[in-house]
Amino acid sequence: QIYMSGPTPPSAPAPAEPDVSARARRLRRVAAGRMAGLRLVLDRLEDSGNRAAVLRSCEAFGLLHVHEIVGLRPSQQPRVAQKVAAAAKHGGNRRMRRGVGNGGEKWLCVHRHETAAACAEALRGAGFRIVATVPPPEGDR
């Protein structure tokens, strides 16, 4: 089969549609149905395993956008600060990229912000209302 790029001359017959597999049609249909109107925000997750699990869940539930606050809290230890900064610099934890169950990030639009205020400003600027859950204090758990 010959596929032409650009407009088809009027005298030539239209090219046949490529044979698209059922799997490819399903992937396109699912991708078109992703939820762009609901966004999840991750606030300075330190455990790459938890981050990977959340990203896989977002992908599984059909979310398209995830916002991640990567800036450091003043209370973070220097050791943790170095790990988080290195992960942010390289686009995520290197070890995480090698895992079998990881990789959901490639199907998501991950937006990184240095501060919670910058994240909130970006979301409000895009017309979103922010709803949050906060874990109870340590003594109440």
Side-chain angles (χ1 to χ4, degrees):
Q1 292 179 328
I2 298 174
Y3 298 100
M4 301 173 66
S5 63
T8 304
S11 60
E17 285 295 315
D19 183 25
V20 179
S21 70
R23 181 176 184 266
R25 285 192 303 273
R26 182 172 176 250
L27 285 172
R28 288 183 185 146
R29 187 176 61 248
V30 169
R34 303 294 295 265
M35 288 189 285
L38 176 65
R39 303 207 176 173
L40 181 77
V41 176
L42 303 176
D43 188 3
R44 301 175 189 107
L45 289 182
E46 296 174 17
D47 185 324
S48 62
N50 288 345
R51 180 182 181 275
V54 170
L55 293 178
R56 285 192 310 270
S57 296
C58 288
E59 198 278 324
F61 284 112
L63 294 180
L64 180 59
H65 296 276
V66 175
H67 292 258
E68 184 172 22
I69 301 166
V70 295
L72 303 175
R73 289 187 182 106
S75 63
Q76 287 178 310
Q77 301 170 2
R79 175 184 58 79
V80 173
Q82 289 172 356
K83 285 172 58 177
V84 173
K89 181 179 177 183
H90 297 291
N93 188 318
R94 289 182 193 188
R95 189 183 84 223
M96 190 183 99
R97 288 191 216 142
R98 291 189 218 129
V100 171
N102 298 324
E105 187 170 356
K106 68 183 170 187
W107 303 109
L108 300 168
C109 296
V110 179
H111 308 270
R112 289 186 167 85
H113 307 277
E114 285 298 317
T115 65
C119 180
E121 182 180 335
L123 289 169
R124 286 190 182 113
F128 285 92
R129 181 174 48 172
I130 297 172
V131 179
T133 61
V134 179
E138 289 290 326
D140 294 344
R141 292 183 190 176

